[in-house]
């Protein structure tokens, strides 16, 4: 009989929707987390019928069942970081906000509000409910469209992204990463993506939150499905391992270029990013 030789990784939790096409949501989250050496647990907030061509149906789960899933995980695991993704309804957003209120570890909020097509995914009530969850976040990671929804101001340039990040920190988030993939290419150069991190290391010499910009090559592809999920999950995983917000963001943003470049060419529509390359040395 062989000797039992287990590993004891940190545990990270994703609270998000399920993607039947496998490219985003909980499926991408767990892949990214395990690529970074953490054990991923999950709370499913909604099931979707989708593939590489689009979303055909969304079925939000009852908020009390979401709470039951969270309680089951929290009762058994020493959760070192939580990441939220698609929360689907105002009731679920409010429930998750209550659940994490006493969570004494990093919380990464990926406010999934706007589809790649630009379509709004949440009702106005659900969007409004995000304010308290953002205020509880260690890091909030909106794309430009989502940052515009959260702040009420257009986000089209890196300067706009910085302003939005400052406003999100003023709302209570410890830090905000405004992702630059949706910024106007003319504002940043067609070959460059600029992600803006505000507030990661406390106050700057000027007295306001610190600001860091990360420039990475833009990959010539539409196959970016799951990029936001994988990025926020990679950051949460690295925070679960004890890294700083800035350090976790720096590595995860750099890795995302390779995850897009080596994406999955599957299905008849644009493919998905490849979270398995995250965490590679």
């Amino acid at each position: 009989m062989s000797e039992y030789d287990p590993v004891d990784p940190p545990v990270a939790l994703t609270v998000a929707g399920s993607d039947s096409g496998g490219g985003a949501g909980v499926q991408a989250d767990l892949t990214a987390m395990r690529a970074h050496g953490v054990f991923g647990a999950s709370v499913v907030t909604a099931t979707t019928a989708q593939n590489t061509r689009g979303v055909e149906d969304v079925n939000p789960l009852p908020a009390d069942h979401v709470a039951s899933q969270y309680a089951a995980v929290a009762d058994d695991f020493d959760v070192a970081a939580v990441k939220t993704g698609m929360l689907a309804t105002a009731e679920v957003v409010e429930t998750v906000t209550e659940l994490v209120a006493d969570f004494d570890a990093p919380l990464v909020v990926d406010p999934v509000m706007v589809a790649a097509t630009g379509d709004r995914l949440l009702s106005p009530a659900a969007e409004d409910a995000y304010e308290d969850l953002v205020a509880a976040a260690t890091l909030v990671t909106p794309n430009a469209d989502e940052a515009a929804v959260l702040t009420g101001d257009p986000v089209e340039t890196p300067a706009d992204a910085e302003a939005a990040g400052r406003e999100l920190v003023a709302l209570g988030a410890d830090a905000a990463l405004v992702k630059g993939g949706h910024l106007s290419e003319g504002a940043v150069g067609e070959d460059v993506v600029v992600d803006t991190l505000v507030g990661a290391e406390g106050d700057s010499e000027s007295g306001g939150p610190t600001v860091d910009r990360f420039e990475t090559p833009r990959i010539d592809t539409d196959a970016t499905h799951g990029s936001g999920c994988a990025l926020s999950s990679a950051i949460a995983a690295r925070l679960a391992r004890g890294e700083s917000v800035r350090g976790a963001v720096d590595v995860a943003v750099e890795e995302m270029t390779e995850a897009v470049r080596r994406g999955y060419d599957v299905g008849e529509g644009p493919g998905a990013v490849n979270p398995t390359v995250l965490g590679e040395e």
Side-chain angles (χ1 to χ4, degrees):
M1 182 178 294
S2 297
E3 181 180 354
Y4 180 53
D5 187 21
V7 295
D8 183 23
V11 176
L13 171 64
T14 171
V15 183
S18 170
D19 176 359
S20 61
V26 165
Q27 288 81 353
D29 294 343
L30 295 177
T31 303
M33 288 175 175
R34 286 172 181 161
H36 280 277
V38 305
F39 182 87
S42 63
V43 169
V44 178
T45 60
T47 60
T48 67
Q50 64 177 296
N51 53 35
T52 60
R53 296 191 298 267
V55 180
E56 299 177 6
D57 189 26
V58 177
N59 180 30
L61 296 181
D64 59 352
H65 183 55
V66 172
S68 294
Q69 292 178 73
Y70 183 93
V73 172
D75 184 57
D76 190 41
F77 296 92
D78 182 13
V79 178
V82 171
K83 172 260 169 146
T84 69
M86 177 186 179
L87 300 183
T89 67
E91 187 177 9
V92 170
V93 176
E94 292 165 354
T95 297
V96 171
T97 302
E98 293 174 1
L99 291 170
V100 301
D102 297 324
F103 181 63
D104 188 24
L107 170 65
V108 178
V109 174
D110 184 15
V112 180
M113 296 178 164
V114 183
T117 58
D119 295 329
R120 302 279 274 265
L121 299 175
L122 299 178
S123 67
E127 292 176 352
D128 291 342
Y130 256 98
E131 185 171 327
D132 288 339
L133 185 59
V134 168
T138 305
L139 177 70
V140 58
T141 64
N143 61 33
D145 295 329
E146 290 156 350
V149 172
L150 289 167
T151 64
D153 296 315
V155 179
E156 299 176 350
T157 69
D160 294 338
E162 178 181 334
R166 289 179 181 277
E167 185 166 346
L168 292 169
V169 169
L171 288 173
D174 292 343
L177 176 67
V178 182
K179 297 173 288 189
H182 292 183
L183 294 180
S184 169
E185 291 186 2
V188 296
E190 62 181 13
D191 297 330
V192 178
V193 174
V194 179
D195 298 309
T196 303
L197 176 64
V198 178
E201 304 296 345
D203 291 340
S204 66
E205 293 181 0
S206 64
T210 57
V211 178
D212 295 287
R213 288 195 174 93
F214 303 90
E215 295 189 6
T216 52
R218 187 182 296 274
I219 307 301
D220 185 18
T221 181
D222 293 329
T224 58
H225 184 55
S227 58
C229 303
L231 177 65
S232 56
S233 295
I235 294 169
R238 300 190 78 89
L239 294 177
R241 290 166 46 181
E243 295 188 15
S244 68
V245 170
R246 193 192 188 286
V249 169
D250 191 5
V251 173
V253 166
E254 187 71 24
E255 290 179 333
M256 188 50 57
T257 301
E258 192 69 359
V260 175
R261 188 181 74 80
R262 294 169 58 186
Y264 290 118
D265 183 13
V266 294
E268 296 181 7
V273 300
N274 182 358
T276 65
V277 307
L278 301 175
E280 289 185 352
E281 299 296 335

